[in-house]
Amino acid sequence: MKLLFIQDSGLSESIGLMNISAILKANGHDCNLFIVSEEKNLFKKIYAYNPDIIGFSCITGMHKWVISLAKEIKKKFNVPIIVGGPHATYYPEIIEEKPIDIISRGESEYAILELLDKLGKKQDIIEIKNLWVKKDNKIFKNPVRPLIEDLDSPPLPDRGLYYNRYKFIRNMTMKRFISGIGCPYNCTFCHNPLMRELYKDKGKYVRKKSVERTIQEIEEVKKKYPLKTVHFSDDTFTIDRKWLIKFLDEYKKRINLPFTCNVRIDLIDEELAKKMKKANCHAITYGLESGNEKMRNLIIKKELSDTIIIKNSRILKKAGIKILTTSIVGLPGETLENALETIKLNRKAGVDFTRINVLEPYPKLEIVSYSKAHGYLDKD
């Protein structure tokens, strides 16, 4: 069976899609990907590939584009369309849109494999876990399967899905890796609490690959493709201190390229900062969010004090590691003075860069429920 993924632009490759492709190919299926912004005649390319199913990985905000393109595809090709990714996970009602046949919620690797296996054998697909399936004017809603506990068990991500076709992505010298999945914290603007609820009693949510598997993935890319900087896209790279110290030693010996990562600033101390710098950590990112401690901890539930932010930022700076913070403006109840506090705290912490985001109130997030309850958003 042949699955074709369609992506809007080439600004970033999806590790999730590369994981799915690797599992499909290891089990006798084929997988391809077209980036719409890079294809002069998309429908001609689809016709030439002749897929059995077409898939989109969709974030909220992009869903209207997906629905629009899916309608155009349906006019020309009689193939099922599946949508996965964050939007389908948290807003599965997208399956009610006419051109969408199937959605996949949560971690989709083995759900998609089972789907292609059953389609190939012309078997019924209405009971595949993780999937919601539209059939005979009904929607069959299945629960998610247990989480993948052993992250070393799937094959290495299929980076050729992108790199074989799009040289400009292959030739980017900074490439992204994931050493672990999940975050145990409760930030009210984040999707992780929703995902933990979806997977309640379905296995351990915060998981790490082994040090050896993580190093192998980087070595494989370093051997085959241009690579000058490694970025770890884990929500919280420093979540497991024992794992991290072992990893830093191996990384220094076998990779030794500059790397960047996302951390919780309260999980940093002088010993760890020195070890990270020694292993060639060039820069870290952490969520400062708001310069007003009350808003940060009561509304966002970040559980970070000003004292820790300033102290540990200075530890990183002393070690020679650059800092990028993410901050949010437009919080419920925020005043102009509060927003200026955010700028001031970034300056006190001595950060090198900050990315200021405007709060986007996605339905179902806790911060949206708070905003409705306190009159900052309409009830509907």
Side-chain angles (χ1 to χ4, degrees):
M1 298 294 287
K2 294 161 75 174
L3 167 61
L4 173 65
F5 286 120
I6 296 180
Q7 184 171 311
D8 62 337
S9 73
L11 295 177
S12 178
E13 71 268 50
S14 164
I15 294 174
L17 296 189
M18 293 191 285
N19 287 339
I20 292 171
S21 180
I23 286 172
L24 292 180
K25 289 177 180 178
N27 286 274
H29 300 290
D30 193 46
C31 193
N32 205 344
L33 177 139
F34 295 152
I35 297 174
V36 174
S37 62
E38 306 303 314
E39 300 294 344
K40 290 182 178 178
N41 194 328
L42 177 67
F43 295 127
K44 186 176 180 182
K45 300 286 174 58
I46 295 173
Y47 181 79
Y49 181 60
N50 192 26
D52 297 294
I53 184 169
I54 291 175
F56 294 88
S57 180
C58 179
I59 59 172
T60 302
M62 176 182 152
H63 57 290
K64 291 182 180 179
W65 173 83
V66 167
I67 293 164
S68 176
L69 183 54
K71 285 178 182 175
E72 294 303 309
I73 289 170
K74 281 288 191 180
K75 291 176 185 176
K76 297 175 170 61
F77 303 95
N78 185 27
V79 294
I81 290 179
I82 181 170
V83 177
H87 190 78
T89 297
Y90 306 122
Y91 312 112
E93 53 269 21
I94 190 175
I95 196 172
E96 294 169 9
E97 297 289 341
K98 193 172 181 181
I100 311 302
D101 301 294
I102 309 166
I103 61 137
S104 184
R105 306 184 73 200
E107 296 180 6
S108 297
E109 288 88 342
Y110 290 102
I112 303 299
L113 174 60
E114 185 178 348
L115 173 64
L116 264 65
D117 283 346
K118 289 193 169 179
L119 287 173
K121 296 172 184 175
K122 298 191 177 348
Q123 295 175 348
D124 207 333
I125 61 170
I126 62 171
E127 294 184 351
I128 298 175
K129 288 182 179 177
N130 292 68
L131 302 189
W132 287 21
V133 181
K134 195 186 291 177
K135 183 180 179 183
D136 300 330
N137 296 317
K138 293 180 183 177
I139 296 173
F140 296 87
K141 303 175 181 180
N142 297 295
V144 294
R145 66 193 62 215
L147 290 159
I148 302 169
E149 294 213 6
D150 180 8
L151 295 184
D152 289 7
S153 60
L156 297 178
D158 175 24
R159 292 183 179 262
L161 181 69
Y162 286 88
Y163 301 166
N164 292 347
R165 186 174 186 87
Y166 300 109
K167 289 183 180 179
F168 77 97
I169 299 179
R170 182 189 67 203
N171 292 336
M172 288 179 183
T173 56
M174 188 279 285
K175 291 183 171 65
R176 299 184 306 114
F177 298 83
I178 289 178
S179 70
I181 298 174
C183 179
Y185 297 97
N186 295 305
C187 299
T188 58
F189 62 84
C190 183
H191 73 99
N192 270 298
L194 295 179
M195 188 68 102
R196 288 203 306 272
E197 183 61 29
L198 180 67
Y199 277 101
K200 191 176 181 180
D201 301 323
K202 296 285 185 177
K204 185 181 177 185
Y205 181 63
V206 180
R207 292 148 289 154
K208 275 282 194 183
K209 297 173 183 175
S210 68
V211 167
E212 180 60 29
R213 163 63 184 248
T214 307
I215 295 289
Q216 279 180 1
E217 284 191 27
I218 304 167
E219 284 180 331
E220 182 77 6
V221 174
K222 188 180 177 185
K223 184 170 67 178
K224 290 184 176 180
Y225 307 108
L227 182 63
K228 291 183 180 178
T229 305
V230 170
H231 175 67
F232 294 102
S233 294
D234 307 41
D235 288 327
T236 312
F237 187 63
T238 50
I239 198 75
D240 184 334
R241 185 186 181 91
K242 185 178 177 183
W243 180 96
L244 181 59
I245 289 172
K246 183 180 177 183
F247 172 81
L248 292 171
D249 290 340
E250 283 299 304
Y251 185 90
K252 175 67 178 173
K253 283 190 282 186
R254 293 165 60 179
I255 309 295
N256 200 31
L257 291 171
F259 77 87
T260 61
C261 60
N262 307 314
V263 308
R264 279 271 306 191
I265 192 63
D266 56 342
L267 299 181
I268 294 294
D269 56 37
E270 199 163 340
E271 179 195 15
L272 199 55
K274 286 179 179 177
K275 285 183 179 293
M276 291 173 73
K277 181 61 179 177
K278 186 178 178 182
N280 218 348
C281 178
H282 173 70
I284 63 91
T285 298
Y286 74 83
L288 181 148
E289 317 310 1
S290 173
N292 182 281
E293 195 169 81
K294 184 177 178 182
M295 299 195 85
R296 186 188 320 123
N297 294 325
L298 293 182
I299 295 175
I300 299 177
K301 295 188 178 177
K302 193 73 183 179
E303 298 178 14
L304 282 178
S305 69
D306 289 358
T307 303
I308 284 291
I309 287 172
I310 294 167
K311 177 189 170 188
N312 290 2
S313 293
R314 289 175 178 171
I315 286 171
L316 286 166
K317 295 291 290 181
K318 185 180 176 183
I321 296 172
K322 291 185 182 294
I323 299 172
L324 164 68
T325 60
T326 56
S327 303
I328 303 174
V329 294
L331 294 165
E334 184 183 62
T335 64
L336 180 58
E337 280 187 354
N338 297 147
L340 291 172
E341 285 180 87
T342 301
I343 296 171
K344 289 173 185 174
L345 184 57
N346 273 287
R347 290 184 67 179
K348 279 183 186 176
V351 308
D352 299 277
F353 316 97
T354 188
R355 183 182 298 132
I356 305 288
N357 305 289
V358 178
L359 179 69
E360 295 193 40
Y362 296 126
K364 300 183 186 178
L365 295 179
E366 185 179 343
I367 201 164
V368 175
S369 301
Y370 174 93
S371 299
K372 289 179 179 180
H374 290 81
Y376 297 111
L377 288 173
D378 291 339
K379 299 290 184 185
D380 62 355

